[in-house]
Amino acid sequence: MKKYLLALLITVTFSHHLLAEVLTPQKVNESTFALIGEIGGRTFENQGLNANYGVIVTNDGVILIDSGASRNGAELINQQVQRLTGKKVRWVINTGSQDHRWLGNDYFLSQGAEVIALHKTVANQKQLALTQLDSVKAVLKDRFNGTKPAYAQKPINQNEAELNLGGTKVQIKYLNHAHFEGDVVVYLPQQNIMFSGDHIYVDRLLGVLPQSNATTWLDAFTKIESINPKVIVPGHGSICDLPKAKRQTGDYLKFLVDGTNKYAEDMAGVENAVKGLSNAPQFEKLANFNELHKGNISRAYLRLEAQ
Ligand SMILES: [Zn+2]
C-alpha cells in the first residue's frame, strides 16, 4: 500500500513538473516576474504557450499580462502564478489579439478576474476569433477543449490609459498598427519596466504576418524608444534592454521597410525584392531566420504595393 502511494506521488509530482516547464519563470524585480515561453512555433507539447507572460504583484492581488492560447493553457499559467506569488490573479491585461495573448480570458473570468483591454484590441480579437479557434484547435487537439473566446467587459475607448491597480500604476499604450492591429504595450512608469507584447521579439526573428504592417510597426518601435524603458519583457525571447530590442527588432524592421520601399519605388516586383534582400547576415543568428525571413520580405513588399 505504501509503495503504491509513493508511486502515485511520484507520478503526480512528475507530471506536474512536466507541465510547469512549458514556461520558465524569471524575476524582473521584487514584485515583477516574466513567464518565458519557447521561441519556436505552437505545438501540442507547449500548449500554444510559445510566448511570454507578465506577472505583477500588487497590494490586492496579481496583474497578469496576457492569458494564453486556451483554457488549459490559462490554467497552467495560473498554477505558475500561484507557485510564484501565492496570490490570486485579479486583473488580466491583453496586449494583443493573437491567440496566445487572449484565448485564456474565459478561464480567468471564471476565476473572478477582471479582463482589461483597449477597445481597439477587442475589436480585432472579435474579428479573428473564429479563425483562431480553428487553427489553434488543430494543434492542441483535446487540450483545446473548453476554450471559448471572451473579452474585456468594459473595453477602454482610448489609445492610452493609466490605471491604478492595487496601488501599482499601469499604463496601457496603443502606439501604431504593429504585429496585429490593436497591439498595445503595458508600461509600469514607477519601475520603468515595459511588457512589449508582440512589438518586440528577441533571440528569434519576428514574423511579419498578413495582418502585420512593417512600416507602422517600425513607427511603434520608435515610440517605444522615446519611452526608453529600462527593462523590457518582450513578446518573445528573454528579458532584455532597449539596445538589444533595437538590434533584433527595430533594426530588422528598418531593414525590411527601407529595403522593400526601394524595390517598390522601382516597381521591381516581389521576386526581385526577396532575392535582393534575402542576404541579411546581421540577423541570421536569430532563431527561425531561415523559416521566416523570405516570407517577411514578401509580405512587407506586398503591403507596400497594395497601399
Ligand atoms: Zn506572438
Side-chain angles (χ1 to χ4, degrees):
M1 184 64 186
K2 251 189 189 159
K3 240 185 203 165
Y4 169 74
L5 274 178
L6 188 67
L8 186 73
L9 190 69
I10 289 170
T11 314
V12 170
T13 314
F14 187 61
S15 56
H16 202 71
H17 186 68
L18 276 183
L19 291 177
E21 280 185 347
V22 173
L23 296 168
T24 308
Q26 275 189 13
K27 192 171 174 174
V28 182
N29 68 19
E30 287 313 308
S31 56
T32 315
F33 304 86
L35 300 175
I36 305 290
E38 292 176 357
I39 54 177
R42 282 166 198 72
T43 61
F44 179 77
E45 287 72 28
N46 69 27
Q47 306 251 7
L49 299 175
N50 59 331
N52 295 342
Y53 302 88
V55 178
I56 305 155
V57 182
T58 78
N59 300 331
D60 299 328
V62 167
I63 308 165
L64 175 68
I65 311 295
D66 293 325
S67 63
S70 67
R71 188 177 177 92
N72 242 330
E75 220 174 319
L76 272 185
I77 292 174
N78 196 33
Q79 283 168 13
Q80 279 201 291
V81 173
Q82 293 322 304
R83 247 172 285 140
L84 269 177
T85 71
K87 292 200 180 183
K88 203 172 149 65
V89 173
R90 281 277 312 271
W91 305 275
V92 175
I93 303 178
N94 293 155
T95 65
S97 51
Q98 194 172 23
D99 49 77
H100 48 217
R101 302 278 160 223
W102 72 281
L103 284 180
N105 284 355
D106 178 59
Y107 171 76
F108 286 101
L109 284 168
S110 75
Q111 302 297 303
E114 182 188 348
V115 176
I116 301 170
L118 297 194
H119 182 77
K120 267 193 157 70
T121 312
V122 174
N124 210 45
Q125 289 170 345
K126 287 185 174 167
Q127 211 183 320
L128 298 174
L130 288 181
T131 339
Q132 290 183 357
L133 290 174
D134 280 350
S135 61
V136 184
K137 193 183 160 104
V139 178
L140 299 190
K141 313 217 163 53
D142 59 318
R143 284 185 168 174
F144 196 66
N145 290 351
T147 308
K148 286 191 302 234
Y151 308 92
Q153 299 101 316
K154 291 180 226 150
I156 301 167
N157 216 344
Q158 296 159 35
N159 282 345
E160 261 190 66
E162 181 170 284
L163 312 172
N164 183 323
L165 304 175
T168 303
K169 260 191 206 164
V170 180
Q171 297 177 348
I172 305 175
K173 294 170 184 278
Y174 171 79
L175 305 171
N176 209 329
H177 177 165
H179 187 237
F180 278 62
E181 248 176 288
D183 283 353
V184 302
V185 298
V186 173
Y187 179 60
L188 307 181
Q190 291 155 315
Q191 312 169 49
N192 204 0
I193 296 169
M194 179 180 283
F195 297 88
S196 74
D198 285 329
H199 288 86
I200 294 174
Y201 289 56
V202 296
D203 308 331
R204 58 155 288 188
L205 195 71
L206 61 83
V208 176
L209 300 179
Q211 299 92 329
S212 313
N213 186 325
T215 306
T216 46
W217 188 348
L218 176 59
D219 174 67
F221 186 84
T222 311
K223 289 175 178 154
I224 290 174
E225 286 184 284
S226 64
I227 299 168
N228 196 20
K230 187 160 178 266
V231 181
I232 297 170
V233 177
H236 299 269
S238 47
I239 297 173
C240 65
D241 57 11
L242 191 55
K244 180 173 176 183
K246 184 169 162 52
R247 283 194 307 276
Q248 302 192 355
T249 288
D251 290 353
Y252 181 71
L253 287 168
K254 189 155 170 30
F255 171 89
L256 274 185
V257 171
D258 289 353
T260 50
N261 259 310
K262 232 175 72 198
Y263 282 90
E265 267 164 29
D266 299 344
M267 291 190 285
V270 65
E271 277 174 37
N272 285 320
V274 172
K275 216 190 283 165
L277 299 169
S278 61
N279 183 31
Q282 65 274 44
F283 306 112
E284 266 167 17
K285 279 198 197 112
L286 297 172
N288 310 327
F289 179 89
N290 291 332
E291 293 79 6
L292 297 180
H293 179 53
K294 287 184 179 170
N296 286 348
I297 302 167
S298 83
R299 278 187 290 273
Y301 182 91
L302 292 172
R303 187 173 272 271
L304 282 179
E305 219 178 38
Q307 275 164 357

